[in-house]
Amino acid sequence: MPAPTNRFKIALNEKRPQIGCWIGLADAYAAEISATAGFDWLLVDGEHAPNDLRSILEQVRVIESSDSIPLARLPIGETWMIKQYLDAGIQSLLIPMVESKNQAAELVRAVRYPPKGARGVGSSLARASRFAAIPDYLTTADDQICLIAQVENRAGMAELDGILETDLDGVFIGPADLAADMGHIGQADHPEVKTAVLEAIKRIVASGKAAGILTTDPEMQRECLDLGATFIATDIDVTQFATAMRTSAKQALSLLPDQKATGQMASTNGGRYLQQLCKHWSHKADAEFDDTHGRIGFADGKTLEMSAAEDHLAIVATTGPRGDLDRWKQVIEQHLLRFAFREDCVLHWDQNTS
């Protein structure tokens, strides 16, 4: 009986596009939920998620029982670590930060048994062989291992052609780290980064290897598929969960009234005060104003509305239902004092603050 068939590797060899999702919640129960979604593959992340081999194996097990195919990203491409992941029965590995042909060649050796490679022979102890229940595991395992190198900086991009000459199954381009290395940290969608990524996808496809990427940008996903990319992750469970929870909380809290305070400050310079405040906060908030009226709105729900008369400035300060209204009032007072036009200015708040 041979080693289990690697459906992911077969799909890549047949050039059938595979759509996947990144799994970073580091919990088997959450992974099981993701495994019901219908993705072709799910990658359990050991590099940036709080995982170790045991927690990754727990997640791989529940994914294996679904129609999705489990992959795992190692924290680093060390031979001893690769051996442990393979012995745990994880057949498809993504290795981060591959920068040279020699490094890629060593990774290929690490996933193969001697004499072709350097993988340690301990299959009788391993889940991979069903604990020695697969008699032909040692002679058939190599053909079912899928090894993907992650190229994610300028050094790796410069060596891409050499990396593609090795016996890898595919190369995955990491836009986020590449953007940082190119001087555009946090801007994976920067035109220079996008151009570099798409050029790399073309070179990978032209070499006959499988090309992959993680991007949540639908336009970029489409472009990569059109260029022949074979495996694309379109989302991340962590961001999906975080976005859904924040949206849910925002909707729930919207059922409650905002907190509001009104006040007045005696001054013949009310128009100047409101203009100064609007200009000061315009770089971090939405600000609209003219000579006598101004409104400032912050992304966290705080607002400030001002109306200037000949002898006073009227103010309405608002926060969301759970905002710190007292602190917001203090901030407004401090900024008014900062802009005091050679006069004593005291902001008197009404007592019916809600």
Side-chain angles (χ1 to χ4, degrees), residues 130-329:
R130 302 295 185 264
F131 313 103
I134 301 176
D136 300 329
Y137 182 80
L138 290 174
T139 57
T140 59
D142 288 0
D143 292 338
Q144 301 304 326
I145 303 303
C146 184
L147 177 64
I148 300 166
Q150 183 164 343
V151 173
E152 48 190 330
N153 59 20
R154 288 175 295 172
M157 295 290 270
E159 293 291 319
L160 181 57
D161 290 340
I163 292 169
L164 290 169
E165 291 174 359
T166 67
D167 205 11
L168 295 163
D169 293 282
V171 173
F172 178 94
I173 302 297
D177 281 277
L178 180 60
D181 196 44
M182 292 177 67
H184 306 297
I185 191 166
Q187 301 178 66
D189 58 348
H190 190 282
E192 290 183 9
V193 178
K194 183 176 178 179
T195 297
V197 170
L198 294 177
E199 285 300 318
I201 295 290
K202 291 178 185 176
R203 290 161 64 188
I204 298 165
V205 172
S207 75
K209 305 289 187 186
I213 191 172
L214 163 63
T215 174
T216 58
D217 178 3
E219 181 181 332
M220 188 65 166
Q221 294 163 4
R222 184 72 265 164
E223 288 189 65
C224 291
L225 283 171
D226 289 345
L227 288 175
T230 320
F231 60 106
I232 295 181
T234 58
D235 226 320
I236 306 167
D237 65 346
V238 175
T239 54
Q240 276 286 333
F241 181 73
T243 300
M245 289 299 290
R246 290 166 188 157
T247 300
S248 179
K250 185 176 181 179
Q251 291 172 344
L253 289 171
S254 70
L255 298 171
L256 304 177
D258 288 338
Q259 300 179 85
K260 183 179 294 186
T262 59
Q264 281 193 12
M265 183 180 73
S267 175
T268 59
N269 293 301
R272 295 173 67 187
Y273 279 109
L274 76 82
Q275 290 181 57
Q276 288 282 16
L277 279 177
C278 288
K279 290 176 183 177
H280 175 73
W281 272 320
S282 62
H283 70 288
K284 62 175 67 173
D286 293 328
E288 300 176 357
F289 64 94
D290 55 28
D291 291 342
T292 58
H293 294 85
R295 186 185 187 282
I296 304 168
F298 291 85
D300 62 1
K302 294 195 300 290
T303 63
L304 172 61
E305 297 179 65
M306 296 169 285
S307 180
E310 290 185 0
D311 60 351
H312 71 273
L313 177 67
I315 285 179
V316 179
T318 306
T319 71
R322 295 290 183 261
D324 189 341
L325 183 60
D326 289 336
R327 176 57 183 159
W328 182 218
K329 289 160 61 178

Side-chain angles (χ1 to χ4, degrees), residues 22 43 45-48 72-78 81-82 85 93-100 103-104 107 147-153 163 172-174 177:
W22 228 250
L43 182 137
D45 194 357
E47 183 184 18
H48 291 299
R73 177 163 71 171
L74 278 66
I76 190 171
E78 292 287 346
M81 190 177 294
I82 291 171
Y85 275 64
L93 304 180
L94 176 62
I95 311 297
M97 208 58 75
V98 178
E99 299 179 340
S100 70
Q103 183 186 1
L107 294 174
L147 177 64
I148 300 166
Q150 183 164 343
V151 173
E152 48 190 330
N153 59 20
I163 292 169
F172 178 94
I173 302 297
D177 281 277

Side-chain angles (χ1 to χ4, degrees), residues 22-27 43-52 55-56 59 73 75 237-238:
W22 228 250
I23 303 298
L25 287 171
D27 181 84
L43 182 137
V44 185
D45 194 357
E47 183 184 18
H48 291 299
N51 276 310
D52 57 19
S55 67
I56 286 176
Q59 294 165 79
R73 177 163 71 171
D237 65 346
V238 175

